[in-house]
C-alpha cells in the first residue's frame, strides 16, 4: 500500500490534494481545461455508454468553467469532492473520480463515481486512485460507508470494485438514466470496518 498524503494547504476548497509518489488527485481548475477537453473528446465513444447523456455544450470552455465553480461550491458545502486524477511525473490528466452524495448524521456515507480516458484504461490507474481515495474517505472525511453502482454489463468496473474490496449488495431496477435510457445497476459497498484502518491492499 503506497503511503498517501492528505494536504489541506488553506481553507479554500481548491487546496485539497490527495497524492503519493505516482499520482495526484485534486479539484478541477480552470487551467485544466485544455487537457480535460482533449481527453474527454478523444474518449467520447468510450465513455458515453456509461454516463448520463452529454449535453450539446458538454465540451465547451463555458460548460467546463461552470463545472469547476460547481465543484468548488459542492466541496465547500461538504456535499461532494470532485477530483481529477493526474500522473505525478508530468501531470498528465488520466481521468477523474467523484466522492458525491455525502450524507452525514446517522448515514455517514457517500457514493463514488469515476471515469478514465480511453488511452489510459486498463493500466491500473483507477485502482491506484482508489487506494488513495478510500483512506481519505474513511480517515479524512470520517465516513463509514462508500457506495458504488455499476451497469451489469460494465465488467471492467465491476472487476475494479471487487478487487478493491467492495461487496455486491443488490440489484437496482431502472436506477439511473445513462446515455438516454434508464438502466438497472448493481450496488456495491465498502465499510470502514471492512478495511485495515481505512486502507486497502492489492490482492494480486
Amino acid at each position: 500500500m503506497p503511503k498517501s498524503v492528505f494536504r489541506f494547504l488553506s481553507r479554500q476548497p481548491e487546496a485539497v490534494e490527495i497524492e503519493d509518489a505516482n499520482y495526484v488527485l485534486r479539484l478541477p481548475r480552470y487551467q485544466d481545461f485544455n487537457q480535460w477537453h482533449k481527453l474527454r473528446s478523444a474518449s467520447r465513444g468510450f465513455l458515453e455508454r456509461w454516463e448520463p447523456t452529454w449535453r450539446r455544450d458538454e465540451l465547451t470552455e463555458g460548460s467546463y468553467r461552470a463545472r469547476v465553480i460547481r465543484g468548488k461550491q459542492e466541496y465547500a458545502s461538504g456535499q461532494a469532492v470532485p477530483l481529477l486524477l493526474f500522473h505525478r511525473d508530468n501531470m498528465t490528466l488520466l481521468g477523474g473520480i467523484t466522492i458525491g452524495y455525502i450524507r452525514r448524521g446517522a448515514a455517514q456515507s457517500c457514493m463514488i463515481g469515476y471515469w478514465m480516458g480511453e488511452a489510459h484504461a486498463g493500466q491500473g490507474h483507477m485502482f491506484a486512485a482508489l487506494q488513495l481515495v478510500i483512506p481519505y474517505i474513511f480517515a479524512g472525511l470520517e465516513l463509514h460507508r462508500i457506495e458504488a453502482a455499476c451497469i451489469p454489463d460494465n465488467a471492467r468496473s465491476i472487476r475494479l470494485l471487487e478487487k478493491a474490496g467492495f461487496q455486491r449488495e443488490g440489484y437496482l431496477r431502472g436506477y439511473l438514466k445513462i446515455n438516454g435510457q434508464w438502466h438497472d445497476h448493481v450496488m456495491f459497498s465498502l465499510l470502514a470496518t471492512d478495511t485495515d484502518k481505512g486502507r486497502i491492499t492489492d490482492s494480486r
Side-chain angles (χ1 to χ4, degrees), residues 97-101 110-114 130 133-134 137 146-149 161 166:
I97 182 167
T98 296
I99 306 164
Y101 298 103
C110 69
M111 174 77 72
I112 60 168
Y114 41 81
L130 286 176
V133 166
I134 289 172
I137 291 172
I146 307 171
E147 297 175 350
L161 292 171
F166 283 72

Side-chain angles (χ1 to χ4, degrees), residues 120-138:
H120 309 299
Q123 300 175 37
H125 299 307
M126 190 53 68
F127 181 80
L130 286 176
Q131 288 185 298
L132 295 173
V133 166
I134 289 172
Y136 169 73
I137 291 172
F138 289 144

Side-chain angles (χ1 to χ4, degrees), residues 7-10 12-19 24-37 60-73 75 82-86 88 91 93 95 115:
R7 296 169 57 197
F8 300 90
L9 303 181
S10 74
Q12 298 302 315
E14 62 269 20
V16 63
E17 289 187 1
I18 308 169
E19 60 183 8
V24 175
L25 289 129
R26 60 163 172 77
L27 292 176
R29 300 172 183 169
Y30 297 137
Q31 56 265 40
D32 298 323
F33 171 72
N34 288 337
Q35 274 209 82
W36 178 89
H37 180 271
T60 64
E61 186 169 1
S63 178
Y64 177 78
R65 291 180 68 86
R67 184 188 299 267
V68 171
I69 293 170
R70 184 171 62 252
K72 290 180 181 179
Q73 292 172 340
Y75 175 74
L83 300 165
L84 292 180
L85 172 64
F86 298 87
R88 190 177 183 86
M91 289 305 289
L93 178 62
W115 65 275

Side-chain angles (χ1 to χ4, degrees), residues 36-194:
W36 178 89
H37 180 271
K38 181 178 179 180
L39 185 60
R40 296 283 293 181
S41 296
S43 306
R44 181 165 189 161
F46 177 71
L47 295 172
E48 276 189 312
R49 61 183 298 199
W50 311 120
E51 297 185 353
T53 301
W54 289 28
R55 303 184 307 272
R56 288 186 178 181
D57 67 344
E58 184 78 22
L59 296 174
T60 64
E61 186 169 1
S63 178
Y64 177 78
R65 291 180 68 86
R67 184 188 299 267
V68 171
I69 293 170
R70 184 171 62 252
K72 290 180 181 179
Q73 292 172 340
E74 289 177 345
Y75 175 74
S77 65
Q79 298 176 14
V81 187
L83 300 165
L84 292 180
L85 172 64
F86 298 87
H87 200 283
R88 190 177 183 86
D89 286 347
N90 49 19
M91 289 305 289
T92 297
L93 178 62
L94 304 174
I97 182 167
T98 296
I99 306 164
Y101 298 103
I102 295 174
R103 302 181 294 280
R104 294 294 181 177
Q108 296 296 327
S109 65
C110 69
M111 174 77 72
I112 60 168
Y114 41 81
W115 65 275
M116 181 63 60
E118 184 173 13
H120 309 299
Q123 300 175 37
H125 299 307
M126 190 53 68
F127 181 80
L130 286 176
Q131 288 185 298
L132 295 173
V133 166
I134 289 172
Y136 169 73
I137 291 172
F138 289 144
L141 297 179
E142 299 183 336
L143 296 176
H144 169 70
R145 173 183 171 89
I146 307 171
E147 297 175 350
C150 292
I151 294 176
D153 292 341
N154 195 343
R156 176 176 283 173
S157 186
I158 289 174
R159 286 196 302 269
L160 170 68
L161 292 171
E162 290 177 341
K163 182 180 176 183
F166 283 72
Q167 297 185 29
R168 189 180 303 225
E169 288 195 335
Y171 195 87
L172 307 178
R173 297 182 303 128
Y175 183 59
L176 294 174
K177 195 172 188 179
I178 302 296
N179 199 22
Q181 295 183 352
W182 289 101
H183 283 270
D184 299 345
H185 281 66
V186 181
M187 176 63 76
F188 290 83
S189 73
L190 183 70
L191 306 182
T193 51
D194 293 333

